[in-house]
Each structure stands twice: as structure tokens, then as C-alpha cells.
């Protein structure tokens, strides 16, 4: 389940790129958006696979969380990149709305990778 969503997003981004006209420029906004989504999703899948391969570490309670400073907006953009292709394929439009200024500026500590999963 955790791999299916980012994998479908990558597949949808690839399909969009393949359907584009040959004269489409690499700096076209749709191309850039698809490539960013593919990069985000492939990185997420690498982390998930890494965690699956280290299942013994998780099962034995030796999982190490990596706390880091983060902003909610970063998580929301990553989520939109991950699920945007899947949403589009299902006819759903994802919209990111601006956060209240206090929340947008706030820095939280957490394990970004685990939150993205």
C-alpha cells in the first residue's frame, strides 16, 4: 500500500510526459512538475524499500527516528507531489491552500521521512 501510491504517481507522470508533443520543451511547467513529482515519489519509494529491507531493525524496536526541523508547507508540497498523479488519474484535483501565516512560518521537529510515509 505504501509503495502503490508513489509508484502510481510516477507511472502517471511518465504517461503525461510520453503523451506530450515531441516539440515540448524540457523547461515547460508541466514537464518540470512531472519531473519533480517523479523525483519526490522515487525518493519516497527508496526510503520505503530501505525500511522494508531493514524490517528486523523495526521489529526489534531498534528503529531510529531522525528528527529534523521542518515546515508544514514542505510536507504538504511533498504530499501533493506524491498523490497528485494518482488523484489526476482518478479525476480528483488536489489544491494546496495557503496556510495561516503563523503556521506557515512555524518550524516543527519531526522525522520527515516517517511523516511522508
Amino acid at each position: 500500500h505504501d509503495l502503490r501510491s508513489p509508484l502510481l504517481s510516477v507511472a502517471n507522470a511518465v504517461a503525461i510526459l510520453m503523451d506530450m508533443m515531441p516539440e515540448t520543451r524540457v523547461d515547460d511547467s508541466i514537464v518540470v512538475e512531472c519531473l519533480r513529482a517523479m523525483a519526490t515519489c522515487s525518493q519516497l519509494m527508496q526510503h520505503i524499500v530501505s525500511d522494508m529491507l531493514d524490517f528486523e531493525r523495526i521489529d526489534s524496536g531498534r528503529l531510529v527516528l531522525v528528527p529534523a526541523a521542518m515546515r508544514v508547507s514542505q510536507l504538504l508540497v511533498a504530499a501533493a507531489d506524491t498523490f497528485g498523479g494518482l488523484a489526476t488519474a482518478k479525476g480528483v484535483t488536489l489544491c494546496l491552500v495557503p496556510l495561516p501565516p503563523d503556521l506557515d512560518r512555524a518550524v516543527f521537529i519531526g522525522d520527515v521521512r516517517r511523516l511522508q510515509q
Side-chain angles (χ1 to χ4, degrees), residues 51-63:
D51 286 347
M52 289 169 54
L53 294 174
D54 291 336
F55 190 78
E56 175 57 34
R57 182 176 49 123
I58 295 169
D59 193 40
S60 67
R62 294 181 291 140
L63 176 66

Side-chain angles (χ1 to χ4, degrees), residues 7-90:
L7 186 57
L8 287 173
S9 292
V10 168
N12 288 329
V14 168
I16 290 168
L17 292 172
M18 290 182 71
D19 286 344
M20 296 181 103
M21 300 301 288
E23 62 272 4
T24 302
R25 295 176 43 94
V26 174
D27 62 350
D28 183 277
S29 63
I30 294 173
V31 172
V32 171
E33 181 182 332
C34 286
L35 292 173
R36 188 179 79 208
M38 290 168 53
T40 299
C41 292
S42 62
Q43 185 178 37
L44 180 58
M45 287 186 290
Q46 285 177 327
H47 291 308
I48 293 169
V49 169
S50 176
D51 286 347
M52 289 169 54
L53 294 174
D54 291 336
F55 190 78
E56 175 57 34
R57 182 176 49 123
I58 295 169
D59 193 40
S60 67
R62 294 181 291 140
L63 176 66
V64 177
L65 297 178
V66 182
M70 64 180 165
R71 287 190 152 73
V72 172
S73 58
Q74 293 170 316
L75 292 174
L76 294 175
V77 168
D81 288 346
T82 300
F83 296 106
L86 181 60
T88 300
K90 297 204 179 254

